[in-house]
Amino acid sequence: MTRSPAPVVLTPLVGLPEVRPGDDLASLVLDAVSANGMALLDGDLLVVSSKVASKALGLTAPADDRAAAVLSQARRVVAERDTPLGVTRVVEAVAGPVMAAAGVDASNTGADDVVLLLPENPDAVARDLREAIQARTAGITVGVVLSDTAGRPWRLGQTDFALGSAGVRLVEDLRGAKDADGRPLNVTERCVGDEIAAAADLVKGKASGIPVALVRGLAASVTAGGSTTPGARALVRTGPSDWFGSGRVEAVRAALGVEAGTARAAEVGIPSALPEPTSTRLERAARVALLGVSGVTACAGPDTVTLDGDDPFTLGVATSRLLVALHGEGLSATAGRPQTSGVRRQVRVTLG
């Protein structure tokens, strides 16, 4: 007979004060456990919002230049779009994950003039917090998940995930086991760490001022050796395992010499997250196409771009680059035959 899974209980730890730089976060968490009429048990898990860890560590930047803060926390820019509130960037953060704005956050900061930055090494922060808690609760082994919030590819909305961890088995590898029908499981790896973080957010919330939750019933996922268990950075797919290293638009622009997140990208224009007139997209594609191409000019009309130059080879290069740039803008086009007027040559590229 198959045993039913044990229940999992999630308890919000209410009553934590506003965390300030230099605060002893372990003491604040333990005080909250006691204030909620509880005591830590062997195998308990604490899910702690990265916001309070960042506050205790003093990881802030001026709010008036959030874009600069984002770029300072980015290893590379994956995608960027212009919005009414400024340029929004999805980046590979210094903290590890690929996420919007490198996790730089202007909400629940405790002050109006700063944004919060993620810890550079979230696993180390989780490890230090766990060790400090265990040192004050002799004989008790707990796990710590440092959580943050992000969107997910191809899904609306945001959810919490494991940004850092200590003493937690984050992945349950079911490959080689059998499903309920007896069929072999070949690719199934449950990301338990992200499931724990997301479940805890159901009781913590985003606007309730509750940054810590206690999770009880998952002792099998808690390990004694915090430093030997892989942390949350091991969950991040980068390098060869990352099939989506750049956005579609960014990949096309990068092939034409316009890397996302650079001054050159801003110079030629960053695509908007909102619908744009075709003429705007044509003009931006023309600017991208002529980067590094001398002796050729472009004139964009409602549905055409006319290229003008005196060297047929260079004009051909510019035409090819323009067709690619237009594809990056989501526009299909065809190039007409070159027309000659004296020593000048023209090529008209028409949409459709």
Side-chain angles (χ1 to χ4, degrees):
M1 180 176 178
T2 304
R3 293 177 57 188
S4 299
V8 176
V9 180
L10 301 105
T11 304
L13 298 184
V14 300
L16 263 82
E18 177 64 34
V19 177
R20 308 287 182 187
D23 279 353
D24 184 343
L25 187 55
S27 291
L28 294 178
V29 171
L30 288 172
D31 289 347
V33 172
S34 297
N36 282 267
M38 305 180 72
L40 289 180
L41 303 179
D42 225 31
D44 279 349
L45 274 156
L46 290 163
V47 181
V48 181
S49 169
S50 64
K51 279 188 175 67
V52 291
S54 294
K55 289 179 180 179
L57 293 169
L59 300 178
T60 63
D64 58 1
D65 199 355
R66 188 182 182 194
V70 170
L71 289 175
S72 75
Q73 300 299 301
R75 296 186 187 277
R76 64 186 177 90
V77 177
V78 174
E80 58 186 359
R81 294 292 182 275
D82 199 10
T83 76
L85 299 178
V87 177
T88 294
R89 293 183 171 95
V90 175
V91 308
E92 180 186 342
V94 172
V98 174
M99 59 195 308
V104 174
D105 200 341
S107 64
N108 298 315
T109 64
D112 293 331
D113 58 346
V114 298
V115 291
L116 291 173
L117 311 179
L118 294 181
E120 184 174 331
N121 189 338
D123 290 326
V125 172
R127 185 168 60 249
D128 291 345
L129 180 59
R130 180 188 192 234
E131 290 174 355
I133 290 172
Q134 290 189 154
R136 301 170 204 186
T137 53
I140 299 298
T141 298
V142 299
V144 170
V145 172
L146 197 67
S147 67
D148 201 63
T149 306
R152 298 140 303 148
W154 309 296
R155 302 287 289 182
L156 286 175
Q158 294 79 38
T159 186
D160 270 27
F161 69 98
L163 175 72
S165 72
V168 183
R169 293 187 181 91
L170 298 176
V171 176
E172 182 183 10
D173 190 349
L174 297 175
R175 292 173 298 180
K178 296 183 184 300
D179 67 10
D181 297 316
R183 299 185 182 92
L185 297 170
N186 297 316
V187 297
T188 304
E189 293 179 273
R190 287 181 61 210
C191 189
V192 178
D194 284 353
E195 291 178 334
I196 292 169
D201 191 54
L202 293 174
V203 298
K204 290 196 291 119
K206 299 301 181 195
S208 56
I210 304 173
V212 183
L214 191 154
V215 182
R216 184 164 287 169
L218 293 175
S221 295
V222 177
T223 68
S227 60
T228 58
T229 305
R233 187 173 286 267
L235 299 176
V236 180
R237 279 184 166 170
T238 56
S241 65
D242 180 8
W243 290 9
F244 312 100
S246 295
R248 182 186 68 85
V249 172
E250 285 69 25
V252 173
R253 284 161 61 96
L256 295 171
V258 182
E259 293 284 350
T262 63
R264 178 170 281 183
E267 176 187 343
V268 299
I270 296 171
S272 175
L274 304 177
E276 294 181 287
T278 300
S279 59
T280 299
R281 297 153 70 192
L282 281 171
E283 291 167 2
R284 186 168 52 234
R287 289 193 294 271
V288 171
L290 295 187
L291 279 175
V293 179
S294 59
V296 178
T297 61
C299 180
D303 58 2
T304 63
V305 179
T306 300
L307 299 175
D308 184 280
D310 56 12
D311 178 62
F313 176 79
T314 306
L315 189 60
V317 169
T319 302
S320 296
R321 288 176 57 87
L322 178 59
L323 292 172
V324 174
L326 288 170
H327 177 75
E329 294 284 349
L331 300 170
S332 59
T334 56
R337 296 177 61 85
Q339 303 295 315
T340 302
S341 176
V343 298
R344 305 297 291 179
R345 291 173 173 81
Q346 286 187 342
V347 174
R348 175 168 291 186
V349 175
T350 305
L351 297 184

